[in-house]
Amino acid sequence: MPTIITPADFTAELTIAQTENPYQHNVVQDFIDKYEPKFLRSLLGLELANDFVTGLTEDPIQTKWDNLRDNTDLKDMMKNYIYYWYKRNENTKSMGISEVKPKAENANAVDGNNKMTRAWNEMVKMNREFDLDVSVYPNWIAPNWFNNYFWHSRCGVNEIYYPISVLNL
């Protein structure tokens, strides 16, 4: 099934290098395939996420699904979420002996935690401001904050509403 985000969407502050390379393109697409549905379920709830994904496959696509995809911050939120998980995974490489940190030639490897933290926290800010008209999206359940925890009747406490520090705390 087609995804909303593509590897080519990762540009500017959310650059993922060499997505034009077929191998790298496939690696990034695997992350999109895994994390895009997870994000949609976390943000929209299972029922609305399923309705949305199904609605995008209809011909013609209903205006409400086009609007949700193209006229909200949904794509930007997803790009930040997927970028975070991709970069977190790229910190080390899996080898037969264990996890290793590749040695860079003609370069110094640096910690990417600042970029990961920025991406995550930008996503959190957009998530907290995200709202939908329940007359158009009746399955939308707006976030309900209680004692500094996000409770969603279908999701429980949800990580996508909490900022992290550079130490990933």
Side-chain angles (χ1 to χ4, degrees):
M1 174 170 28
T3 55
I4 297 167
I5 302 298
T6 69
D9 290 325
F10 292 95
T11 60
E13 289 184 319
L14 300 175
T15 295
I16 296 178
Q18 302 175 0
T19 56
E20 68 282 348
N21 172 299
Y23 172 78
Q24 180 68 353
H25 179 91
N26 290 338
V27 169
V28 175
Q29 188 62 53
D30 287 344
F31 273 83
I32 293 168
D33 292 344
K34 177 178 181 178
Y35 288 104
E36 184 175 289
K38 183 178 179 185
F39 179 81
L40 289 173
R41 288 189 305 269
S42 294
L43 181 72
L44 303 175
L46 182 61
E47 192 173 349
L48 183 55
N50 288 341
D51 291 348
F52 176 50
V53 171
T54 301
L56 291 176
T57 64
E58 296 172 354
D59 189 18
I61 298 173
Q62 291 182 44
T63 303
K64 71 179 186 176
W65 304 127
D66 272 334
N67 286 339
L68 180 55
R69 181 189 61 204
D70 300 330
N71 297 326
T72 67
D73 287 331
L74 184 68
K75 285 183 178 180
D76 290 331
M77 291 185 284
M78 277 195 294
K79 285 191 297 189
N80 279 288
Y81 184 76
I82 294 164
Y83 176 87
Y84 170 84
W85 288 108
Y86 173 82
K87 287 298 192 181
R88 183 170 166 170
N89 184 68
E90 288 297 300
N91 276 337
T92 63
K93 300 289 182 194
S94 299
M95 304 298 282
I97 57 171
S98 70
E99 289 294 303
V100 299
K101 192 121 181 134
K103 192 173 190 175
E105 291 184 32
N106 300 323
N108 291 322
V110 295
D111 187 338
N113 284 346
N114 286 333
K115 284 185 175 185
M116 291 169 33
T117 301
R118 180 196 38 77
W120 183 270
N121 291 338
E122 283 182 9
M123 176 213 51
V124 167
K125 184 178 184 307
M126 287 184 277
N127 292 347
R128 288 180 173 197
E129 294 170 353
F130 186 77
D131 195 21
L132 294 174
D133 182 347
V134 292
S135 67
V136 177
Y137 306 97
N139 296 336
W140 166 247
I141 299 172
N144 180 17
W145 292 90
F146 179 75
N147 290 336
N148 212 21
Y149 289 97
F150 175 77
W151 293 93
H152 191 294
S153 65
R154 297 182 186 159
C155 299
V157 177
N158 198 317
E159 70 179 355
I160 68 167
Y161 291 91
Y162 295 103
I164 60 173
S165 71
V166 174
L167 300 174
N168 200 17
L169 301 173

